[in-house]
Amino acid sequence: MRITVPATSANVGPGFDSVGVALSKYLSIDVLEAADSWEISHDLDNIPSDDSNLLIVTALKVAPHLNPHRLRMTSNIPLARGLGSSSSVIVAGIELANQLADLQLTADEKLNIATSIEGHPDNVAPAIFGNLVISSYVDEKVNYVAGSFPKCSFVTFIPNYELKTSDSRGVLPEQLDYKEAVAASSIANVAVAGLLTGDLKTAGKAIENDLFHERFRQSLVKEFSAIKAIGEQNGAYATYLSGAGPTVIVLADQENEEAIKAAIDGLALDGTSCILSVDTKGVRIERN
């Protein structure tokens, strides 16, 4: 059995801790034979191979009496880059428990469990459902709306350095002025409405006018301004920080994707670029 979970990009500008989209990078867990203790084979740096791995910690929270198995973990979702690496593992751990213990969890139940573990649903929701998901987590209750992201390319630059969420949250203010908060909320509303109606031009302007977090975080990602300039020169809809960063994503028409990627590569920045698309399936199971 194989469990596959997509990467995710959260916030998408002003959708702070609320908006997320599933993207075409993946974590896969192959469930092998039963064993005396949990054993995870992988080639990932600084990741445990025993029951202290987040995958197993999560699975045992859901089903404490699971029988141990040998597992194989493969992932091309980079760690601590703003593409939902930890969320993908949490969702995979819930699915591992669901399958091995035959819990028959619904997608909504998986989301509630994942959100309680992660603390907010913006990454775990699209990892479960695929596509675009707008969600909230208030008084320990999750509400969400799932929809299709407008057709476009996600031209993505992934720096070679990590930016931990705790560090990038440290630059945020403790509060916003009421008038400023109303303005920030109205921008977020337009961004979401534009995405759900397929109006990427309007959505893109709102995405780039975020007042909640990007203006405080962009200084932590030295590549951002140069990449944004490339997006503007090539008619992109928007350039934004993925999650807490440092990954930068340019939303663009497919006919412009190669030119934008080539221009980013031409900057010779310390990192890698790729062209991603929306994953529409979310977490899935393949049986041998």
Side-chain angles (χ1 to χ4, degrees):
M1 177 176 66
R2 172 173 289 183
I3 300 167
T4 302
V5 186
T8 50
S9 177
N11 299 332
V12 193
F16 191 46
D17 281 0
S18 175
V19 175
V21 58
L23 296 178
S24 56
K25 281 185 173 290
Y26 298 95
L27 165 74
S28 293
I29 307 297
D30 290 304
V31 183
L32 307 175
E33 69 272 14
D36 293 332
S37 60
W38 292 101
E39 179 185 336
I40 306 175
S41 61
H42 60 77
D43 59 3
L44 306 172
D45 293 335
N46 302 315
I47 300 297
S49 297
D50 56 15
D51 59 6
S52 64
N53 188 296
L54 179 60
L55 177 77
I56 307 306
V57 171
T58 301
L60 293 178
K61 281 184 181 179
V62 179
H65 303 297
L66 280 183
N67 292 324
H69 281 69
R70 283 189 60 247
L71 307 171
R72 182 168 55 246
M73 173 185 285
T74 56
S75 179
N76 63 0
I77 305 173
L79 301 178
R81 299 296 198 281
L83 288 169
S85 58
S86 63
S87 295
S88 68
V89 176
I90 289 169
V91 170
I94 293 168
E95 194 59 59
L96 179 66
N98 185 42
Q99 296 298 321
L100 292 182
D102 193 24
L103 301 177
Q104 300 184 35
L105 296 172
T106 66
D108 284 8
E109 289 170 333
K110 295 173 192 175
L111 177 58
N112 286 329
I113 295 167
T115 302
S116 68
I117 294 171
E118 178 77 343
H120 39 84
D122 54 348
N123 283 111
V124 294
I128 292 168
F129 293 102
N131 278 311
L132 170 70
V133 186
I134 299 96
S135 53
S136 67
Y137 186 49
V138 180
D139 296 331
E140 299 186 354
K141 293 183 179 178
V142 182
N143 286 297
Y144 71 91
V145 173
S148 297
F149 203 97
K151 185 177 180 181
C152 69
S153 293
F154 292 71
V155 185
T156 303
F157 177 75
I158 306 169
N160 283 334
Y161 58 87
E162 295 185 3
L163 182 56
K164 290 188 169 63
T165 303
S166 57
D167 293 336
S168 100
R169 283 193 181 268
V171 300
L172 301 180
E174 292 186 5
Q175 59 186 18
L176 291 179
D177 173 78
Y178 184 83
K179 184 177 180 180
E180 194 172 31
V182 170
S185 177
S186 69
I187 291 168
N189 293 341
V190 172
V192 168
L195 291 175
L196 290 177
T197 58
D199 184 352
L200 261 177
K201 287 187 177 179
T202 299
K205 291 176 183 176
I207 288 167
E208 290 197 340
N209 286 327
D210 166 59
L211 296 178
F212 284 123
H213 75 108
E214 280 209 2
R215 56 184 169 144
F216 308 109
R217 287 173 163 170
Q218 285 177 11
S219 62
L220 300 177
V221 182
K222 59 185 181 294
E223 302 87 355
F224 186 88
S225 59
I227 294 173
K228 182 178 180 180
I230 286 172
E232 292 172 345
Q233 293 160 11
N234 287 272
Y237 295 112
T239 300
Y240 72 93
L241 285 178
S242 184
T247 290
V248 181
I249 292 181
V250 181
L251 299 178
D253 281 332
Q254 290 177 325
E255 61 258 31
N256 295 335
E257 63 183 24
E258 292 294 347
I260 293 172
K261 182 182 184 301
I264 292 172
D265 292 341
L267 296 174
L269 301 172
D270 184 19
T272 58
S273 69
C274 56
I275 298 171
L276 302 179
S277 58
V278 175
D279 175 274
T280 61
K281 296 180 180 179
V283 60
R284 56 259 207 190
I285 305 299
E286 300 170 61
R287 301 192 182 278
N288 299 333

